Amino acid sequence: MTSFAFRQPPVVGLPVVGLETRFPVRRVYCIGRNYAAHAIEMGHNPDREPPFFFQKNPDNLDPSGEFPYPPRSSDVHHEAELAVMLKSGGSDISVESALDHVFGYALSLDMTRRDLQGGQKKLGRPWEIGKAFERSAPVGPIHPVSLVGHLSSGRITLKVDGELRQEGDLKQMIWKVPEMISYLSEYFELAGGDVILSGTPAGVDSVDRGNVMEVEVAGLGAMKVKVV
Ligand code: MN
């Protein structure tokens, strides 16, 4: 047994529907601009160009149902996303075999300090302060593939206080889930516990304290998250 110089940080464990055991998080990859209509609203080309990814931290994933409005920002945006949880991984995974590595799917939010992200973009700097802040990725319980199968189409929506803000269909993803897994595995060694946030449809916008965000994906139910 390794002994540590001080108390080791806990492994983040996410609840799984139908199981007492939790999903241990290893890494969090997020794809940018994966729905054409969202690429356009952000001022970018919607064509299928090579994908790009950024990362959040494992402990940014938060199943609590509350999102604390983060410091140092006055423009925090919601991005409703389908999260893909891996049970295994490797390098150079083929598109054909990629889904064999998926453990399950969950509703998630890629919360973004848009003002800080925008400043970093202008300077050509990394996005972490806009993306990888505390509790920046609210996430619902994981639905295992054994219960829900694989999701390649179906409506994805986000409401704020009951008003529809984001709407799309999973089939509009520019890079499909198996393609994302395969692509990432060319650059990183993937492993069980890795999480991929698969991008957001059009309609991203600001939230304020007191708002209730509700994400829905067909087949996965709904997740409510209150901004506090
Ligand atoms: Mn996103």
Side-chain angles (χ1 to χ4, degrees):
M1 271 283 275
T2 307
S3 65
F4 295 95
F6 53 90
R7 195 173 147 202
Q8 72 270 31
V11 173
V12 175
L14 299 176
V16 181
V17 175
L19 289 182
E20 294 299 313
T21 50
R22 295 199 161 218
F23 176 91
V25 181
R26 176 176 176 263
R27 294 181 186 168
V28 183
Y29 298 98
C30 311
I31 191 168
R33 298 171 208 151
N34 201 30
Y35 289 74
H38 173 62
I40 290 168
E41 76 178 348
M42 297 304 289
H44 297 283
N45 186 336
D47 295 343
R48 183 170 152 114
E49 294 172 339
F52 71 92
F53 293 85
F54 57 91
Q55 285 176 266
K56 295 204 184 213
N57 301 296
D59 66 350
N60 296 157
L61 290 169
D62 179 6
S64 74
E66 288 196 338
F67 170 71
Y69 198 94
R72 314 298 294 175
S73 175
S74 54
D75 189 23
V76 176
H77 276 202
H78 52 72
E79 296 190 0
E81 311 209 359
L82 174 72
V84 183
M85 277 68 183
L86 302 188
K87 64 183 178 189
S88 55
S91 298
D92 299 321
I93 296 167
S94 68
V95 171
E96 294 70 31
S97 67
L99 290 181
D100 298 343
H101 298 284
V102 175
F103 174 79
Y105 299 91
L107 304 170
S108 65
L109 282 159
D110 167 17
M111 298 304 296
T112 303
R113 288 194 279 217
R114 192 72 77 202
D115 44 2
L116 300 190
Q117 182 202 25
Q120 296 296 96
K121 276 185 189 174
K122 269 189 211 135
L123 294 167
R125 290 180 181 165
W127 289 3
E128 277 80 3
I129 63 166
K131 287 287 195 180
F133 55 91
E134 307 314 321
R135 299 173 69 179
S136 59
V139 62
I142 299 168
H143 299 260
V145 169
S146 56
L147 292 182
V148 297
H150 290 290
L151 303 183
S152 58
S153 67
R155 196 163 177 256
I156 174 170
T157 57
L158 178 133
K159 292 178 194 157
V160 175
D161 298 338
E163 178 196 329
L164 187 65
R165 293 264 192 100
Q166 292 192 259
E167 185 172 23
D169 194 291
L170 301 178
K171 67 176 184 246
Q172 296 166 333
M173 285 183 194
I174 296 171
W175 291 86
K176 311 299 181 196
V177 171
E179 293 173 326
M180 280 187 258
I181 294 169
S182 177
Y183 188 93
L184 274 170
S185 77
E186 292 176 26
Y187 294 86
F188 301 97
E189 192 173 324
L190 299 180
D194 289 351
V195 174
I196 302 169
L197 301 195
S198 59
T200 197
V204 299
D205 206 346
S206 305
V207 292
D208 289 309
R209 285 187 185 84
N211 286 156
V212 175
M213 303 177 284
E214 184 171 8
V215 183
E216 281 187 80
V217 169
L220 298 186
M223 167 178 77
K224 281 189 179 172
V225 178
K226 182 166 190 186
V227 185
V228 297

